[in-house]
Amino acid sequence: MIRQTIKGSLKAIIAKYLQDKGITDSLNFTLEVPPGNIDADFALNAAMLIAKKVKTNPRTVAQELIDITVREIPELIEKAEMAGAGFINLHIKNEILYKELETILREKDKYGSFPENNKEKILVEFVSANPTGPLHIGHGRGAAIGDSIARILKHLGYNVTKEYYLNDHGNQMLVLSKSVEIRFKQLKGEKIDFPADHYQGGYITDIAKRLVSENRNIDKINFKYEAVKEILSGIKNDLKDFAVEFDGWFSESKIIADKDKNGKTEVDKTCKYLLSKGDAYVKGGALWLASTKFADGKDRVLKRSDGRYTYLASDTAYHKNKFERGFTKLVNLWGADHHGYVARIKACIQMLGFDKEALDIILYQFVSLVRNGQSVTMSTRTGEFITLKEVADEVGKDACRFFFLLRAPDSRLEFDLELAKKQSSENPVFYVQYVNARCSSIIRKSKNIGGITAEIKNIHFSLLNTKEERDLIKQLAEFCDTLALSEKTMSPHHFTVYLIELADIFHKFYEKCRVLTSDANLTSARLKLIEGVAIIIKNSLNLLGISVPDKM
């Protein structure tokens, strides 16, 4: 938490400086890690921003801030220097680095957590694929992103629930049921055409084959039940193998079909409420949502003239149900093709009397697979789409999750299957996991060396003073900043970037700094640094749902 501590102190210093200049505005400055060719720990851009406000030379402001900073926080800053047009390069005290390393060693898997966040209840809803077929790779990316976001929020101390919304009602279920029924009849010898707009996948035939093998009487088969049961079982197994387990599975039928003692469903009551408030109206025999009042492009149908509710109606009732269950923040993971749906569901949240900012919708782009430089477009099993299970089985769960998380959700992802299978430093997940394996190996070897000090209080951390050692400790401390950035952007990809950089810095350290030396005090200090690396690697990979092997 070094950067956050220093930034907090600088915020107070800059606020006082502005006040003395008669400026009451706050300043949104940055404190960044400078490029590798700059000899400094952090770079501050505040002087150039302030200079515009006070209309003076940025270097003059920079020098004044340098003098104040060195005077006000000498326990944090070793020295401050001016660079370029007015940047301030800061060098932090080594003692701050050692203190942060000690914190990591003591807190271990609790490092970066804030128990006081527990009062906020967050519901993360993701995947929520229709139970009409196996999960494809697009669902897999959503699963990796959503599960990792939930893990990150939980690590930060929030009360997190992961939920899958099961769309098990409506026309798609009728088509699914009919698809299995027709395949069943065909297998029993009936000459019947299969409609082009029905579900074509081989899994439909597999379900029908099972029913035939069980000698089931067609008049006694609930085809919808049998199809959903088998498909959902496959979805749950695929997700479990992918290290994704939900706290709850919420059925759409609960919203749109289950009735209270007065014969009303939750969607009935939700639509009636919107109508009573004037946020819905009847026109042409249909019920319309007046969503244009809340920045939507046009009003939307909630209930068709034939009495059938739209998906928007059930989704609105579902979000109302989420808030009524006591959740204070909702996080939804949707495919990028739902972009146009965001404004209207936000409008619904407002109409129901809830804060639209309490709903965070993350849109993620789909995945394209590449093998040997060529696009992979067809599934070997179904001839229609590439399933999550196929990819995870080929490259492994760890590589699959890591590659899905290499880019921000709103960035398109090209997944190189051959690279994901490589057991070399070219493969980023192997590169990162190997760091932990090497740390574990060094720690095992140290057990046979005498004179090693294990107690933190007896470690001479001041011996960790080379550039490589300082850089490594600084990168370990960036774990907390990566947590904060991931929460702010609701994107776990910051951790894959962080881990690859940590691996780079570790290898530079390992090349220059021998850990097991003839100096017991130096060896003890470096072993604690290695232990800190292992803790952070483990914590970070756990947040991504990726295993942490001790040997490779």
Side-chain angles (χ1 to χ4, degrees):
M1 298 179 70
I2 293 174
R3 192 194 313 211
Q4 295 176 43
T5 300
I6 293 174
K7 192 167 185 178
S9 297
L10 289 172
K11 189 175 290 186
I13 288 170
I14 290 168
K16 176 66 166 55
Y17 181 88
L18 289 171
Q19 185 180 29
D20 292 344
K21 298 288 186 181
I23 298 173
T24 57
D25 297 343
S26 60
L27 193 72
N28 188 24
F29 64 90
T30 60
L31 186 67
E32 301 293 341
V33 176
N37 61 323
I38 303 295
D39 180 23
D41 296 315
F42 296 107
L44 175 67
N45 71 340
M48 291 177 287
L49 300 177
I50 293 172
K52 292 180 181 178
K53 292 179 179 291
V54 299
K55 296 182 173 37
T56 189
N57 190 315
R59 290 178 62 85
T60 301
V61 176
Q63 189 57 57
E64 290 174 350
L65 287 177
I66 287 171
D67 295 341
I68 297 170
T69 299
V70 172
R71 182 176 69 246
E72 293 292 324
I73 49 173
E75 72 283 4
L76 298 177
I77 302 300
E78 181 70 38
K79 65 177 179 177
E81 300 172 314
M82 193 187 312
F87 278 102
I88 299 174
N89 288 336
L90 300 173
H91 299 255
I92 60 176
K93 295 268 190 180
N94 280 356
E95 288 72 21
I96 300 302
L97 296 174
Y98 306 146
K99 183 179 178 181
E100 196 68 19
L101 178 56
E102 287 184 45
T103 300
I104 293 169
L105 294 168
R106 288 195 174 96
E107 295 185 357
K108 294 183 169 60
D109 62 344
K110 299 294 188 294
Y111 180 65
S113 186
F114 298 91
E116 61 271 21
N117 286 337
N118 195 54
K119 61 182 178 293
E120 184 162 8
K121 290 182 64 179
I122 303 177
L123 180 65
V124 184
E125 185 235 315
F126 59 105
V127 184
S128 299
N130 298 336
T132 55
L135 298 177
H136 56 61
I137 56 169
H139 298 136
R141 190 182 188 198
I145 295 169
D147 185 60
S148 298
I149 287 173
R151 289 168 183 256
I152 289 167
L153 293 173
K154 193 168 185 178
H155 186 88
L156 284 165
Y158 296 108
N159 185 345
V160 180
T161 297
K162 295 183 289 184
E163 186 162 278
Y164 188 117
Y165 181 54
L166 190 64
N167 298 108
D168 58 354
H169 190 86
N171 186 62
Q172 62 186 358
M173 291 295 101
L174 296 176
V175 174
L176 175 66
S177 174
K178 199 65 179 175
S179 299
V180 177
E181 182 181 354
I182 293 172
R183 289 301 188 204
F184 180 87
K185 289 178 178 179
Q186 290 176 334
L187 290 169
K188 296 289 280 186
E190 288 192 40
K191 301 298 182 183
I192 181 172
D193 292 332
F194 195 89
D197 60 350
H198 281 39
Y199 294 103
Q200 304 284 331
Y203 61 92
I204 297 293
T205 303
D206 292 341
I207 297 169
K209 283 180 178 178
R210 174 180 63 81
L211 295 172
V212 170
S213 71
E214 294 171 355
N215 294 316
R216 301 285 290 274
N217 186 321
I218 191 169
D219 296 328
K220 296 182 179 180
I221 299 175
N222 183 330
F223 286 101
K224 173 190 169 183
Y225 170 80
E226 295 292 343
V228 171
K229 180 182 73 171
E230 188 157 326
I231 291 170
L232 187 56
S233 175
I235 287 173
K236 288 183 176 182
N237 287 335
D238 289 351
L239 288 171
K240 187 175 181 180
D241 291 343
F242 202 52
V244 176
E245 295 194 51
F246 286 91
D247 301 302
W249 295 71
F250 194 100
S251 170
E252 184 184 8
S253 295
K254 178 179 174 59
I255 292 290
I256 207 163
D258 291 0
K259 297 180 179 180
D260 63 13
K261 61 182 180 181
N262 298 315
K264 299 296 182 184
T265 66
E266 287 201 43
V267 73
D268 289 333
K269 290 181 282 189
T270 300
C271 288
K272 183 179 179 181
Y273 174 76
L274 292 171
L275 188 61
S276 69
K277 283 186 69 221
D279 289 326
Y281 59 91
V282 176
K283 179 182 177 182
L287 180 66
W288 293 76
L289 181 75
S291 52
T292 48
K293 296 197 302 185
F294 293 88
D296 196 5
K298 62 180 181 179
D299 290 347
R300 309 286 173 173
V301 177
L302 290 171
K303 191 176 185 179
R304 301 178 183 90
S305 56
D306 62 6
R308 291 180 299 132
Y309 284 111
T310 62
Y311 284 120
L312 180 60
S314 54
D315 283 349
T316 301
Y318 174 45
H319 283 79
K320 180 172 177 283
N321 178 280
K322 289 181 181 182
F323 282 116
E324 289 175 343
R325 280 185 276 156
F327 292 105
T328 52
K329 183 175 180 63
L330 310 180
V331 180
N332 290 358
L333 268 290
W334 291 349
D337 56 339
H338 286 72
H339 182 270
Y341 204 61
V342 174
R344 71 195 72 155
I345 206 67
K346 289 263 190 182
C348 293
I349 292 296
Q350 289 176 279
M351 291 175 184
L352 292 170
F354 302 109
D355 180 6
K356 69 174 182 177
E357 299 306 320
L359 171 62
D360 200 340
I361 297 175
I362 302 157
L363 300 174
Y364 62 91
Q365 292 285 347
F366 295 109
V367 184
S368 59
L369 294 183
V370 174
R371 188 193 305 278
N372 298 321
Q374 300 296 315
S375 176
V376 179
T377 58
M378 297 298 286
S379 164
T380 57
R381 191 176 73 88
T382 67
E384 291 180 332
F385 53 78
I386 302 160
T387 67
L388 169 62
K389 179 175 173 54
E390 286 178 291
V391 177
D393 284 350
E394 179 174 347
V395 306
K397 179 266 293 181
D398 288 344
C400 197
R401 286 189 66 131
F402 200 94
F403 273 63
F404 279 150
L405 299 170
L406 279 172
R407 302 284 180 269
D410 60 358
S411 298
R412 286 193 172 275
L413 180 69
E414 188 175 89
F415 193 126
D416 189 326
L417 290 164
E418 296 306 315
L419 177 60
K421 290 187 290 185
K422 284 189 176 181
Q423 299 289 298
S424 72
S425 59
E426 293 177 77
N427 181 347
V429 68
F430 181 91
Y431 185 55
V432 170
Q433 287 177 320
Y434 188 71
V435 172
N436 185 75
R438 174 157 277 174
C439 289
S440 298
S441 174
I442 294 169
I443 291 170
R444 284 194 298 270
K445 289 178 182 177
S446 73
K447 303 298 182 185
N448 301 319
I449 300 176
I452 301 298
T453 301
E455 290 291 325
I456 294 175
K457 64 181 179 180
N458 296 325
I459 299 293
H460 297 277
F461 286 107
S462 60
L463 295 173
L464 304 174
N465 52 29
T466 67
K467 180 182 186 306
E468 290 75 22
E469 289 163 327
R470 290 184 86 260
D471 287 347
L472 190 51
I473 299 172
K474 284 192 294 181
Q475 183 67 7
L476 297 182
E478 286 287 315
F479 174 85
C480 291
D481 297 289
T482 307
L483 273 173
L485 184 58
S486 297
E487 179 189 8
K488 181 180 179 181
T489 61
M490 283 292 162
S491 175
H493 86 283
H494 298 293
F495 268 100
T496 56
V497 174
Y498 168 78
L499 282 167
I500 292 168
E501 187 174 356
L502 174 56
D504 287 341
I505 294 171
F506 172 82
H507 286 300
K508 290 175 184 175
F509 156 81
Y510 187 76
E511 289 171 5
K512 292 288 183 70
C513 304
R514 184 176 179 81
V515 178
L516 305 179
T517 72
S518 58
D519 184 332
N521 287 331
L522 179 59
T523 297
S524 298
R526 285 181 174 168
L527 278 171
K528 284 301 177 185
L529 177 53
I530 288 293
E531 185 182 332
V533 172
I535 288 169
I536 294 299
I537 291 280
K538 181 178 180 180
N539 289 355
S540 300
L541 288 177
N542 282 341
L543 294 178
L544 302 180
I546 294 170
S547 64
V548 193
D550 291 334
K551 297 179 180 179
M552 293 180 73

